[in-house]
Each structure stands twice: as structure tokens, then as C-alpha cells.
Amino acid sequence: EFLRTLFKINEGDVFSRKALNKGIEKATEAYGSAGFYQATPAPDFVFRDVDPETGQPLPGEHPAIVDINMKFQEGTQFFINRITFHGNTTTLDQVIRREMRIAEGGVFNTLGLRESIRRLNQLGYFKPLENAEAIKVTEVPGQTGRVDVGLTFEEQNRNSISFGAGVSQFDGFFGQLSFQTSNFLGRGETVGISLQRGSQARNYQVSFSEPYLFDRPITAGFDIFRRQFHYIGQYTQDSTGTNTVVGFPIADYTRMFMGYSYEKVTIRDINPLYLQEEVLASNPFLRDSLLIASGGKRTVSKISPSVVHNTVNQPIFPSAGRRLTADVDFAGLGGNSNFWQTRFEAIQFIPFTNRLSLGMRAEVQYVRPFGSTLNLPIFERYFLGGEYSVRGFDLRTIGPRDQSGQIVLGGNKTMLFNAEFNINIAGPVRLLAFYDAGQVRDIGENFGWWEDVTEIIPPPRPVLYDPLTTITLREFGTLPPVNQEVVIGRRNAFKTSTGLELRFFMPVLNVPFRLIAAYNPQRGGVLNNSLQPQPKFTFRFAVGTTF
């Protein structure tokens, strides 16, 4: 009765070899989870329109019906004798053993072994365990129903000391000195020290994370940072603060985190375009957003609960699995900024062959002020553009603009979609075909397929006008003339980019380097960082991954 539930086949159904094979696979897994890893289900077919002795069709009219008899050779139930690890010259045995879902003396659960392999591959400490040479199950000589399980690892360099210089759209020209490890002293702890100074960004940070606090699956970590970002054509942001986080499992591959951060932010070197009186007058929130009234300073204290479900098979070049993230930030427990924001992200990787896979990401974000904070600080507003969102556009160039169309003000909600078709060329080299689409909307605006194209109409000349003087006369009782925004057309609300990306992994630096060639079909209304219309074609160099 139990085995029958595994076969989604009923009497009277059209025969399906696919459905039968799926049932056989599930039956094999069921036996394997109980230690019968040598069980072999086999179907026996009886065709009612065929002579069973000769195999020839019977004469006359006979129904095209087949009877399926499943035969099982269950074999012996096996238990685990020893679990041994080889090749882990840096990583301690206990770090590996705590990811195992099988135990010595217990039933040899093949599903448990499969889950163990997945969890070990997720760590990224070793090259993926994928073949029979790395995973060996051998029967113990002279002992019936006992097996030894041996795993052979090949350590990957997860410790890096690097120094040098480079260039990227986000950081500009930069020099850096850093130590980073995700497996400190082979204990699975993450330690990082980073010193980076560049033309657009400076980052000084110390971080530590413990994945198994008190030998329990509790994550705990902190970081202390001082950062400076110069957003071209906009402003410079200085931030100093700390983050702490604690996480614990709530289901297989699902963890809940609770974070707290305290940050002091200063806004300076504001583009003079932002400070023009007519610009400030036409955007009532802009003065508060730029922190002009508060001396350019703001303190943010917030808690951040989040839930992450992650079955992605590898951290560097993933090809299978999904990652779902939901997080909420509440700022207002101290500090002088009150807002709440939420983010939902779904990432899915679909393998086709050993060399071909598809990756997709969908993300939405929303932020809203409350209490004494009437307008969002500009550093909490949302923008898109750059190699981590819509690749063919300059950094932070997609978003609502002021009436003149030259200043990006940002919005309070975003919608983003990314797709990558991944081709494994050889070893650490990948070729990706990508498509990115995103839009940003502000308070009171809705997402949509189309957006209005507007034009600013200057006010009519006053009744009495003298071109040789700045003094104008108007009728008594009339209001001062103002610019009027008139809708003159429509265009695509989603800004899109597609193209090719060559991505290669540098073992010494432990980061992927990227060469991106992009075509931007929907780019209306977007200006690049030089305040010129966004070009149709762009070529970029970057590091890291989009998602």
C-alpha cells in the first residue's frame, strides 16, 4: 500500500513511461532512506493484445492494455560502520561532521548522504563533491549489512591576502589591502579585514562571523566599518557604524536572522544643481532628504529581522537550487531617522547539462518614513543601474528625477528582474547571456508598463515686462508664475539591458572578474553620470556577481 502511493499511475490512465520511471525513482529513494540501498525495483509488462509466448500480436480485436507488475529485490538492510574524511588538510573534521545527515551506527540513509553532500558543497570550502572517486560506499569485509562511507575532499583556497589596484564603475580607481577568509583556521569561521581607498569609494572594515555558536547551529557575527562613497554628479556619503546579527535554523535550509545596526551618516559635497532655489522649491522633500536643515548629519538605529531559504549548490558558480529572502528593517529605536523598509528576493538556478544552466532573480523593495521623519534621507531612497542591478546603465541613474530631468531623486520602491544563461567554457571561465529589467517609483506612484513623458512649460510673461531690468510687474492679487509640467507622450517604464558577459574566477583573489558588453533597448529618460542620454551600447569591467 505504501509503495503504490509512490506511483502516480491509476488503472485506466494512458500508459506513461515517464510516470513509471518517476515512481521507480521514488521507490528506490524510499528503500535507500531505510538502508536498503541495493534494492532494485523492476517492472514486468503484460500486454493484453500480444501473445506472451511468441510476442506476436493476437489475431482479432483486442484492447491495447498493459498490466504492470512491479517486482522488488529488496536486498539487505545496511548500517554505517565508519565515516571517514580524506584530503581536508585545513578544514577540521568537526566542521565537516556537523554538516552530515548520516551517523556512524545508524541506518545507511542514501537520502541523508545526498543532503550531506549538498550541504558540504554549499560551504564552498572544497571543490564540489560530484563523482564516485570523491564519494565511496564500501561493504565491510566479513560483516553483513555494514558499510563504510568515505569522502575525499580537495580544499579550495578560502583564505586570501591581497593588495593591489583596480578600477570599477562603483569604486572608480582604487587601491586595496585585505585579508579575507571564510574558513578561519579550518573552523568554518569568517574573518575579514579590508582597507580600500579609491577615487569614488573608501572602505575600512573589520568583520567576524561564527556559524556554530556554542557548538549549536546558531550564527553570530558583527562588523565595524567606516565608509565613504562619492556618487558622481550627486553627493558624497560618509558612514561610520556597526552591525550585529544572530541566526538560527527554523527548517532544513531555512534560517531566521535578527540584526541590529547603528550608523552615523554625513552628506556633503552636494551637486550645486540640487541646491538651486527653483529646484528646492519644486521638490518640497528635497531639502530634508539632503539633510540641509540638520547640518548634513543623520543617525540611523534599526533592527532587521529576516528569513532566508537557501538550497543553492555552490556559492561562487551556482547552477542549481534556489534562494528566497524576506527581510524587514525598522529604524527608530534611537537615532533620529524613522522609517521601515522591506525586501523580497527570489533566486532560482536551473541546470540543463553539466555546462549549461539558467539563473533568474526577481526582487521588490519598499521603504516609507513614519513618525517625526516626514521625508526619507536620500541615502535611504532607491536607485537602480550598475553591474549589480541593470548592467548596461551607469550606477544609480535609474529613478525619479526632478522637473528639469537632470537630478535623480530616487524613489521609495523598486522592481527588478535579472536572467542569466550560463555556459561553462572551461574551469573558472564562464560566458553568460543576460537580460536585466527594472523600474523605480516614488511615493504616490504605481508600477506599470508605461510612464508619462513630460515637458516643463515656463510661465507666460507678466502683464508689464521690461527686458532691460530684472523687475517685473504683475496684476494685483495674482500668484507668482510657476513652471507647469505637461504630459506629451508615453514610454516604457521598465529600463532594460541585454548582452554578453565573460566571467572568470581568480583563485588568488577569490572573486569573479567580469567583462560586460550591453545593449540597452529601453533607456528613455535616463541620463548617464555625465548627464548625457544613456548610450545604446556600453562596455564595462566589474567584479563580483549580479546575484
Side-chain angles (χ1 to χ4, degrees), residues 211-233:
Y212 268 74
L213 187 65
F214 308 126
D215 290 326
R216 296 180 178 276
I218 299 174
T219 302
F222 71 91
D223 67 80
I224 302 171
F225 62 86
R226 181 178 179 84
R227 300 172 184 146
Q228 180 186 105
F229 297 109
H230 175 57
Y231 298 113
I232 297 176

Side-chain angles (χ1 to χ4, degrees), residues 168-171 200 361 383-399 416-418 420 434-438 495-497 501 514 516 518 520 526-529 534 538 540-543 545-547:
S168 75
Q169 185 186 11
F170 187 79
D171 300 304
Q200 293 173 208
R361 173 175 73 166
F383 305 80
L384 290 179
E387 56 262 28
Y388 304 116
S389 58
V390 185
R391 272 164 268 207
F393 291 73
D394 281 1
L395 187 71
R396 295 168 61 91
T397 55
I398 300 175
L416 176 66
F417 175 77
N418 308 101
E420 297 179 346
F434 68 85
Y435 179 83
D436 302 331
K495 308 308 173 187
T496 62
S497 179
E501 175 180 328
R514 311 158 67 187
I516 304 171
N520 309 313
V526 178
L527 304 180
N528 62 16
N529 286 334
Q534 175 63 47
T538 57
R540 306 191 185 284
F541 169 79
V543 295
T545 60
T546 299
F547 60 91

Side-chain angles (χ1 to χ4, degrees), residues 127-440:
K127 291 188 176 180
L129 298 167
E130 296 176 332
N131 53 54
E133 293 298 320
I135 309 167
K136 290 187 176 181
V137 178
T138 56
E139 297 185 31
V140 179
Q143 298 186 40
T144 303
R146 308 284 287 183
V147 294
D148 290 330
V149 178
L151 302 179
T152 301
F153 300 95
E154 186 175 350
E155 297 267 12
Q156 291 196 123
N157 179 23
R158 304 298 290 170
N159 307 320
S160 65
I161 300 177
S162 64
F163 60 92
V167 60
S168 75
Q169 185 186 11
F170 187 79
D171 300 304
F173 291 94
F174 65 89
Q176 69 169 10
L177 173 64
S178 66
F179 168 76
Q180 179 72 38
T181 175
S182 60
N183 190 13
F184 184 61
L185 300 179
R187 300 173 57 87
E189 298 165 340
T190 300
V191 175
I193 301 174
S194 177
L195 307 174
Q196 179 176 315
R197 186 183 180 96
S199 60
Q200 293 173 208
R202 298 178 185 178
N203 183 21
Y204 311 105
Q205 180 172 334
V206 177
S207 61
F208 175 81
S209 178
E210 169 58 66
Y212 268 74
L213 187 65
F214 308 126
D215 290 326
R216 296 180 178 276
I218 299 174
T219 302
F222 71 91
D223 67 80
I224 302 171
F225 62 86
R226 181 178 179 84
R227 300 172 184 146
Q228 180 186 105
F229 297 109
H230 175 57
Y231 298 113
I232 297 176
Q234 298 180 31
Y235 58 90
T236 297
Q237 174 182 333
D238 293 317
S239 302
T240 302
T242 182
N243 297 301
T244 59
V245 66
V246 176
F248 53 90
I250 57 177
D252 286 342
Y253 303 103
T254 304
R255 299 181 72 86
M256 183 170 186
F257 297 89
M258 180 62 71
Y260 172 76
S261 65
Y262 184 86
E263 182 179 11
K264 290 189 174 182
V265 183
T266 301
I267 300 296
R268 58 183 178 83
D269 300 334
I270 300 173
N271 187 329
L273 285 174
Y274 284 79
L275 303 178
Q276 294 179 3
E277 285 303 323
E278 57 270 24
V279 174
L280 294 174
S282 64
N283 298 275
F285 71 87
L286 188 56
R287 188 180 298 273
D288 288 340
S289 177
L290 294 172
L291 311 184
I292 295 174
S294 58
K297 297 182 179 181
R298 188 66 67 90
T299 301
V300 180
S301 173
K302 64 183 178 182
I303 58 171
S304 305
S306 62
V307 176
V308 179
H309 173 76
N310 185 11
T311 62
V312 174
N313 59 346
Q314 299 179 43
I316 302 298
F317 285 123
S319 59
R322 68 170 57 94
R323 183 167 69 246
L324 306 175
T325 304
D327 57 52
V328 180
D329 295 343
F330 296 96
L333 302 178
N336 52 15
S337 296
N338 300 321
F339 61 86
W340 65 273
Q341 60 185 10
T342 184
R343 181 179 72 98
F344 298 97
E345 181 187 56
I347 297 174
Q348 178 75 53
F349 295 96
I350 304 172
F352 298 113
T353 68
N354 289 336
R355 292 184 176 272
L356 303 177
S357 64
L358 175 67
M360 296 178 291
R361 173 175 73 166
E363 180 188 62
V364 292
Q365 300 179 95
Y366 183 88
V367 60
R368 193 74 183 243
F370 68 89
S372 60
T373 301
L374 302 179
N375 297 303
L376 288 169
I378 197 166
F379 55 83
E380 295 295 347
R381 301 179 69 83
Y382 294 137
F383 305 80
L384 290 179
E387 56 262 28
Y388 304 116
S389 58
V390 185
R391 272 164 268 207
F393 291 73
D394 281 1
L395 187 71
R396 295 168 61 91
T397 55
I398 300 175
R401 293 177 175 268
D402 75 315
Q403 286 187 345
S404 70
Q406 296 192 38
I407 302 174
V408 185
L409 304 174
N412 80 312
K413 47 187 170 287
T414 69
M415 183 182 294
L416 176 66
F417 175 77
N418 308 101
E420 297 179 346
F421 186 76
N422 190 313
I423 305 171
N424 182 355
I425 297 178
V429 181
R430 303 289 194 277
L431 179 65
L432 288 81
F434 68 85
Y435 179 83
D436 302 331
Q439 63 174 289
V440 185

Side-chain angles (χ1 to χ4, degrees), residues 80-114:
I80 298 174
N81 178 52
R82 292 287 307 277
I83 300 175
T84 56
F85 308 127
H86 309 279
N88 53 313
T89 54
T90 299
T91 306
L92 302 179
D93 278 8
Q94 69 183 52
V95 173
I96 302 173
R97 199 170 294 275
R98 67 194 184 196
E99 302 296 336
M100 300 297 293
R101 293 301 176 261
I102 55 177
E104 295 176 350
V107 171
F108 175 49
N109 183 342
T110 56
L111 292 182
L113 177 60
R114 183 187 304 174

Side-chain angles (χ1 to χ4, degrees), residues 9-86:
I9 303 174
N10 299 310
E11 295 180 1
D13 290 349
V14 174
F15 174 75
S16 168
R17 173 71 71 172
K18 181 178 180 180
L20 178 62
N21 290 341
K22 190 66 176 179
I24 292 174
E25 179 184 340
K26 289 184 177 180
T28 303
E29 291 178 349
Y31 271 105
S33 65
F36 296 89
Y37 87 100
Q38 294 179 336
T40 53
D44 183 25
F45 301 108
V46 178
F47 298 93
R48 295 189 184 181
D49 58 348
V50 174
D51 187 327
E53 295 183 0
T54 63
Q56 298 298 317
L58 293 172
E61 295 291 333
H62 296 276
I65 295 176
V66 59
D67 297 320
I68 305 174
N69 300 315
M70 289 301 306
K71 297 182 178 180
F72 295 87
Q73 293 183 351
E74 295 182 332
T76 304
Q77 185 180 32
F78 283 86
F79 294 82
I80 298 174
N81 178 52
R82 292 287 307 277
I83 300 175
T84 56
F85 308 127
H86 309 279

